[in-house]
């Protein structure tokens, strides 16, 4: 699929010349004013923009500023017939890729756009990786057989992948690693949880929609399938996908094409589908809840990730990775964990798998102000056996909800009730923290 290029210029002859030149390599959208350019920018989320400086309704620098506020990663090249060093400096400071004088050398402009589009894709990818996990390849702790499967699938970038295993074992991390190690690494990795949305919303998110497709569809919207073009679309919890959407996904895999909701035109994409589930899809097929043809299409080379209780030799390495992550995030001098505390971690059955271990280390890092995590920083249900806890009246095992509430309270106390700092330590945004404080009725004091 071609990248989208938005050209904004009030000179119609310039618009036509640029559109004609770039139409072979880009899906060109034209706008003859700053206002129309901003509307087109909102509507189409272009890959790159060519923007004129002088326009009757709005100054190009003002348009640039508004575009960068909406999408800081979008590359914008400014054009002007009036050379002005101060304006050029202002535009570059605001994030413009280049500031070129008219008449422009089209080959030079083409070269600049090509580099800018590639750089923007890389920035988006690495920003997504940083926000989602913070993982680096050297920090990934996986069984040898999983690394072998990753290597095989990375070398076959068009083959669908099905990753299975219980909740919290790192299926998403494995999917992302396959993408990062494959020839698709420079294109987007886009993920969606199929169990988190209603059927109608999931269809719209996956395939996008045209304006007027339904009541609230006031403008056209690209779907995740379209946004992942050239890269990977990761379908988490695919076992929960409604049967009607399974048909569409199967067709998209086989034909490399789809239609937006309410659309009539086929959109061609080059996307690898990677899926994950903690359900037994074979049983779902037998029960008529999952399509057999889609199951076999996904299950070419399945990757099954064992639970953490069967990977006790990895617990120490994982713990050190999480200590490194949280000590950096919280700006703390934590360098390791005491032997007794590590022995407790290795003895725990970890029903929540790696996700549970990560939460335990995050909690310990919040409470720890020394250079090593010790027993006192671990949750009570890890420090004492279940039998000992049950003997004590009125002290049941701590639920995950209780742990979350206590962790929020401790973090707020530690930061002096500074929600921004607390949210950063907890790894969530401020608005999410605010909703949790309201939901759990946590008082300011």
């Amino acid at each position: 699929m071609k990248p989208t290029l938005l050209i904004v210029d009030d000179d119609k002859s310039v618009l036509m010349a640029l559109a004609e030149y770039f139409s072979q390599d880009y899906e060109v959208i034209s706008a003859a004013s700053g206002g129309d350019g901003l509307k087109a920018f909102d509507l189409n989320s272009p890959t790159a923009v060519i923007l004129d400086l002088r326009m009757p309704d709005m100054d190009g620098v003002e348009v640039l500023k508004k575009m960068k506020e909406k999408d800081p990663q979008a590359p914008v090249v400014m054009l002007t017939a009036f050379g002005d060093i101060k304006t050029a400096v202002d535009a570059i400071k605001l994030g413009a890729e280049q500031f070129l004088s008219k008449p422009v050398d089209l080959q030079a402009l083409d070269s600049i756009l090509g580099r800018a589009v590639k750089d923007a894709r890389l920035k988006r990818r690495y920003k997504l990786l940083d926000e989602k996990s913070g993982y680096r390849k050297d920090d990934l702790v996986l069984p040898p057989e999983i690394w072998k499967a990753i290597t095989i699938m990375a070398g076959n970038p068009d083959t669908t992948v099905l990753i299975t295993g219980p909740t919290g074992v790192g299926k998403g991390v494995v999917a992302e690693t396959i993408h990062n190690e494959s020839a698709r690494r420079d294109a987007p990795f886009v993920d969606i949880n199929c169990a988190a949305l209603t059927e109608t919303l999931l269809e719209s998110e996956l395939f996008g929609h045209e304006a007027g497709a339904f009541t609230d569809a006031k403008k056209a919207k690209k779907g995740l399938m379209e946004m992942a073009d050239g890269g990977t679309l990761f379908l988490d919890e695919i076992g929960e996908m409604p049967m009607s959407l399974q048909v569409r996904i199967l067709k998209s895999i086989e034909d490399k094409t789809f239609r937006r909701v309410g659309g009539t035109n086929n959109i061609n994409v080059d996307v690898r589908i990677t899926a994950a589930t903690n359900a037994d899809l074979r049983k779902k097929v037998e029960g008529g809840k999952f399509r057999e043809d889609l199951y076999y299409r996904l299950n070419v080379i399945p990757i099954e990730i064992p639970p953490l209780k069967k990977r006790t030799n990895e617990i120490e390495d994982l713990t050190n990775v999480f200590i490194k992550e949280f000590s950096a995030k919280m700006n703390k001098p934590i360098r390791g964990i005491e032997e007794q505390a590590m022995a407790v971690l290795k003895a725990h059955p970890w029903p929540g798998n790696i996700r549970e271990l990560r939460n335990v280390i995050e909690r310990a890092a919040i409470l720890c102000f020394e250079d090593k995590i010790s027993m006192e920083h671990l949750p009570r249900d890890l420090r004492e056996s279940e039998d000992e806890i049950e003997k004590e009246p009125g002290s049941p095992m701590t639920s995950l909800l209780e742990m979350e509430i206590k962790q929020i309270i401790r973090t707020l106390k530690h930061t002096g009730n500074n929600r921004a700092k607390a949210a950063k330590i907890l790894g969530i945004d401020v608005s999410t923290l605010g909703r949790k404080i309201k939901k759990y009725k946590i008082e300011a004091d």
Side-chain angles (χ1 to χ4, degrees), residues 312-325:
T312 52
N313 60 321
E314 297 173 20
I315 290 175
E316 186 168 355
D317 288 339
L318 284 165
T319 299
N320 288 329
V321 167
F322 296 141
I323 289 174
K324 179 181 176 183
E325 176 189 348

Side-chain angles (χ1 to χ4, degrees), residues 350-376:
W350 298 111
N353 294 294
I354 296 173
R355 188 176 296 151
E356 182 187 359
L357 173 61
R358 187 177 185 274
N359 289 341
V360 165
I361 300 303
E362 182 179 13
R363 173 191 185 278
I366 291 171
L367 301 176
C368 179
F369 293 92
E370 296 84 39
D371 63 343
K372 282 191 175 183
I373 290 172
S374 62
M375 287 286 290
E376 65 178 303

Side-chain angles (χ1 to χ4, degrees), residues 51 113 118-119 152 167 177 188 241 258 321 331 354 431 436:
L51 177 62
L113 281 175
K118 185 176 180 180
D119 289 346
I152 292 171
T167 299
T177 305
M241 178 178 282
F258 71 96
V321 167
N331 195 25
I354 296 173
S431 59
K436 288 179 181 292

